C-alpha cells in the first residue's frame, strides 16, 4: 500500500466549505458553514474571503449567504457534461435492464451523497423518471459503497458532515468492494430490496456507478454476483473504461 500523502489543511478546509455550500442548495451563511464544517467562525471567514477573492464563492447584494462562484461552476463545465455521460451510458443501462429484468441506475457522487443521472425500468418508465430527484447518503447503499471504495478522499468528506457514519461494518464493506470490484446491498438500505453496483471509469478514474436493484426474493446474493459480471462485460464491450 502506498504511503499516505501529506495533506495541506487549508486546502482540505476550503474543499469542505465549497462542498457544504453545494449541499445547502448553492448558498449558506457563515455560521452554518462554520457549524457544519467544525471550523471556528474566524477561520471559516478567512477561508471564504480568499475563495471570494479568487472567484470560487460570492455574496449577493442584500444576501448574507455565500454562493458558489462562476469560477468553480466553469471548472465543472470544462470537465464535462453529465448529460453527455448519461447519453453515452444509456444503451448500456438498457442492455443491462433487458438482461436483468430489473431497475438499473446510473449514479454519480454529489458532495457526500449519491445523485442519479438516469434510471431505466423497461416495465414502468414513469416510475423510473419520478425517482431521479432522489439523493441518498453514500454509506450503506451499493452505489455509495462503490464511490467510498474508489473515489479518493470521499470517506473523509463523509466524516466531515456525519462524524460516525463509517462504522466498522461499513469500513469492512468498503474494503470488500475494493477487493471484489463490486458492491452488494442485501436489504441494508431499503427493506425488501437487494442491489449490486459496479464502478464506471473514464481515463482510469471512477466517474459513476451502475446498479441493479429489485425485490430481495427475486435477486438473492448469488444472482446479484452473476449480474455484476454481466454488467462489467456490458461496460467492457461498450469501451467506456
Amino acid at each position: 500500500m502506498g504511503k499516505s500523502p501529506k495533506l495541506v489543511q487549508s486546502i482540505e478546509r476550503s474543499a469542505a466549505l465549497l462542498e457544504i455550500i453545494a449541499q445547502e442548495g448553492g448558498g449558506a451563511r457563515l455560521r452554518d458553514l462554520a457549524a457544519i464544517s467544525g471550523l471556528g467562525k474566524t477561520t471559516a471567514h478567512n477561508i471564504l474571503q480568499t475563495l471570494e477573492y479568487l472567484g470560487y464563492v460570492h455574496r449577493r447584494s442584500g444576501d448574507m449567504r455565500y454562493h458558489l462562484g462562476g469560477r468553480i461552476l466553469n471548472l465543472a463545465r470544462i470537465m464535462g457534461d453529465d448529460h453527455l455521460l448519461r447519453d453515452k451510458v444509456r444503451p448500456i443501462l438498457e442492455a443491462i435492464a433487458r438482461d436483468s429484468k430489473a431497475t438499473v441506475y446510473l449514479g454519480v457522487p454529489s458532495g457526500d451523497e449519491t445523485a442519479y443521472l438516469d434510471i431505466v425500468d423497461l416495465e414502468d418508465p414513469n416510475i423510473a423518471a419520478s425517482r431521479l430527484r432522489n439523493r441518498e447518503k453514500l454509506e450503506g447503499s451499493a452505489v455509495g459503497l462503490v464511490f467510498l471504495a474508489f473515489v479518493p478522499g470521499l470517506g473523509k468528506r463523509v466524516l466531515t458532515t456525519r462524524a460516525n457514519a463509517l462504522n466498522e461494518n461499513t469500513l469492512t464493506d468498503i474494503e470488500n468492494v475494493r477487493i471484489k470490484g463490486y458492491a452488494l446491498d442485501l436489504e441494508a438500505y431499503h427493506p425488501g430490496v437487494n442491489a449490486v453496483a459496479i464502478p464506471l471509469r473514464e481515463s482510469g478514474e471512477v466517474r459513476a456507478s451502475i446498479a441493479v436493484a429489485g425485490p430481495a426474493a427475486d435477486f438473492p446474493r448469488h444472482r446479484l454476483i452473476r449480474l455484476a459480471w454481466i454488467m462489467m462485460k456490458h461496460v467492457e464491450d461498450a469501451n467506456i473504461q
Side-chain angles (χ1 to χ4, degrees):
M1 184 176 293
K3 185 178 179 181
S4 299
K6 184 176 180 180
L7 303 180
V8 180
Q9 188 180 61
S10 59
I11 295 177
E12 282 192 282
R13 290 172 169 179
S14 298
L17 290 173
L18 289 170
E19 290 186 12
I20 293 169
I21 292 172
Q23 292 162 14
E24 293 296 305
R29 290 175 174 266
L30 172 61
R31 66 167 180 261
D32 297 324
L33 289 166
I36 294 171
S37 66
L39 298 173
K41 287 182 67 174
T42 300
T43 300
H45 180 257
N46 290 339
I47 293 172
L48 289 164
Q49 277 193 316
T50 302
L51 292 172
E52 185 175 15
Y53 178 79
L54 295 172
Y56 290 104
V57 301
H58 71 101
R59 284 181 291 180
R60 300 167 184 169
S61 178
D63 188 344
M64 297 298 294
R65 295 175 297 170
Y66 286 89
H67 298 265
L68 294 180
R71 193 168 182 183
I72 194 168
L73 297 175
N74 286 338
L75 281 175
R77 295 186 187 103
I78 290 169
M79 287 301 296
D81 189 331
D82 284 339
H83 294 293
L84 295 178
L85 176 64
R86 182 185 62 195
D87 292 345
K88 183 163 57 175
V89 178
R90 179 75 184 203
I92 301 174
L93 303 185
E94 292 175 346
I96 294 171
R98 287 192 295 270
D99 284 350
S100 65
K101 304 295 189 295
T103 306
V104 185
Y105 298 78
L106 175 64
V108 292
S110 178
D112 60 355
E113 296 178 314
T114 294
Y116 290 100
L117 298 184
D118 202 0
I119 302 175
V120 176
D121 188 321
L122 298 179
E123 294 187 1
D124 197 338
N126 293 328
I127 288 180
S130 70
R131 299 174 186 167
L132 279 175
R133 294 180 179 272
N134 294 344
R135 287 174 176 262
E136 296 179 341
K137 293 180 180 179
L138 291 171
E139 61 273 19
S141 71
V143 170
L145 289 173
V146 165
F147 295 142
L148 288 168
F150 296 116
V151 178
L154 197 52
K156 189 165 186 177
R157 178 70 200 97
V158 169
L159 292 175
T160 301
T161 55
R162 296 189 292 279
N164 300 314
L166 305 183
N167 58 34
E168 186 174 342
N169 289 336
T170 302
L171 292 174
T172 299
D173 289 341
I174 293 169
E175 187 59 30
N176 284 334
V177 175
R178 291 195 184 105
I179 295 169
K180 297 177 181 178
Y182 60 83
L184 294 177
D185 169 10
L186 304 178
E187 298 190 73
Y189 208 87
H190 296 291
V193 177
N194 282 353
V196 61
I198 64 168
L200 181 71
R201 291 180 172 87
E202 285 189 327
S203 302
E205 295 185 6
V206 173
R207 173 86 185 275
S209 175
I210 298 174
V212 165
D218 297 332
F219 293 89
R221 183 188 186 94
H222 69 272
R223 185 180 178 191
L224 292 176
I225 294 172
R226 186 168 67 249
L227 282 173
W229 295 108
I230 292 172
M231 294 158 67
M232 292 177 190
K233 186 65 166 58
H234 277 297
V235 173
E236 181 182 354
D237 291 345
N239 199 27
I240 294 292
Q241 300 197 54

